[in-house]
Amino acid sequence: QQQVKQSPQSLIVQKGGISIINCAYENTAFDYFPWYQQFPGKGPALLIAIRPDVSEKKEGRFTISFNKSAKQFSLHIMDSQPGDSATYFCAAKGKTGGGNKLTFGTGTQLKVEL
Amino acid sequence: NAGVTQTPKFQVLKTGQSMTLQCAQDMNHEYMSWYRQDPGMGLRLIHYSVGAGITDQGEVPNGYNVSRSTTEDFPLRLLSAAPSQTSVYFCASSYSRGMNYGYTFGSGTRLTVV
């Protein structure tokens, strides 16, 4: 079953615009929420991550916003660039058991146009 | 520092054949896992391991077998390949404890079963 729901499936943004990708989770026992970036032919790479005791985390042009009560978190890419064109996955880690097991969303294909 | 190394990069199998996908990491990570990536379905967990000698099933384990005899290696075995196992397979590793839960992914194995 899908415990992390991601939207949209695809997104086209103009260069310099803001890209926003949303995720919602059902399991309140998650305690770590990372985002991964994947370029064609490559494995996913960790982009940024947040814990539920923080409402926002910013690293350069990338920001995670976290709403614990709504069980939602989102990735904002400011000043989007063509080099940001990639597939983005949100994920969530359970608090107990399973070691470091992550549940992933279905991914968002982002295209940044000139 | 090689990170996570997967071999082979590409493989074509006939239905019913068996094979082993290799995964090795040199970061002394306790946690290792195998995911398959299919269009529109994100990354789905096949099997994972929290340390040498310990393995467990993920979301889609049927048709796959794993073992973890060393910290470094975590091979994935396809027992009798089926067309439904056509996919891109990723191995990932991470620390299990502390604050650093970020996964390092390999570059993937693209498998086609005909």
Side-chain angles (χ1 to χ4, degrees):
Chain A
Q1 74 246 27
Q2 185 60 258
Q3 295 188 48
V4 179
K5 296 182 179 179
Q6 184 171 348
S7 63
Q9 186 173 0
S10 62
L11 181 61
I12 299 175
V13 173
Q14 296 299 309
K15 179 182 176 184
I18 303 174
S19 303
I20 301 174
I21 304 170
N22 300 299
C23 284
Y25 61 97
E26 300 166 358
N27 187 346
T28 57
F30 290 139
D31 66 350
Y32 173 76
F33 300 88
W35 285 88
Y36 284 81
Q37 180 187 55
Q38 184 183 29
F39 294 105
K42 304 292 186 182
L46 179 65
L47 185 63
I48 187 173
I50 197 168
R51 296 188 179 278
D53 54 348
V54 176
S55 61
E56 185 175 283
K57 183 175 181 180
K58 183 177 181 179
E59 290 185 0
R61 297 184 293 108
F62 300 91
T63 300
I64 300 179
S65 297
F66 188 84
N67 186 329
K68 188 174 182 178
S69 60
K71 291 187 285 187
Q72 295 175 346
F73 58 110
S74 60
L75 175 69
H76 295 236
I77 306 174
M78 311 301 287
D79 186 26
S80 298
Q81 299 297 313
D84 296 330
S85 297
T87 299
Y88 293 81
F89 292 96
C90 62
K93 170 190 161 302
K95 287 181 184 177
T96 59
N100 192 13
K101 187 166 58 173
L102 287 180
T103 299
F104 284 85
T106 51
T108 296
Q109 285 194 333
L110 171 65
K111 183 177 181 181
V112 181
E113 293 184 336
L114 293 170
Chain B
N1 190 352
V4 177
T5 302
Q6 287 185 240
T7 56
K9 292 190 182 301
F10 301 93
Q11 183 71 47
V12 178
L13 284 180
K14 293 182 178 179
T15 297
Q17 286 184 319
S18 63
M19 78 160 294
T20 300
L21 278 63
Q22 301 291 345
C23 176
Q25 54 93 8
D26 61 358
M27 298 169 285
N28 203 29
H29 284 166
E30 305 95 345
Y31 183 87
M32 296 186 74
S33 55
W34 277 101
Y35 285 85
R36 59 177 289 172
Q37 183 174 18
D38 302 291
M41 305 195 74
L43 292 153
R44 293 183 293 167
L45 181 64
I46 303 171
H47 285 285
Y48 65 97
S49 168
V50 298
I54 306 170
T55 64
D56 206 346
Q57 296 181 352
E59 182 184 355
V60 288
N62 292 340
Y64 307 95
N65 215 344
V66 292
S67 60
R68 184 100 177 265
S69 57
T70 67
T71 300
E72 295 78 20
D73 300 297
F74 191 44
L76 177 73
R77 297 181 188 84
L78 277 69
L79 309 173
S80 177
S84 62
Q85 294 179 304
T86 293
S87 186
V88 181
Y89 292 84
F90 287 101
C91 177
S93 71
S94 75
Y95 294 108
S96 286
R97 294 174 289 275
M99 300 299 285
N100 183 5
Y101 295 119
Y103 278 19
T104 299
F105 280 86
S107 57
T109 295
R110 185 174 294 274
L111 176 67
T112 301
V113 182
V114 298

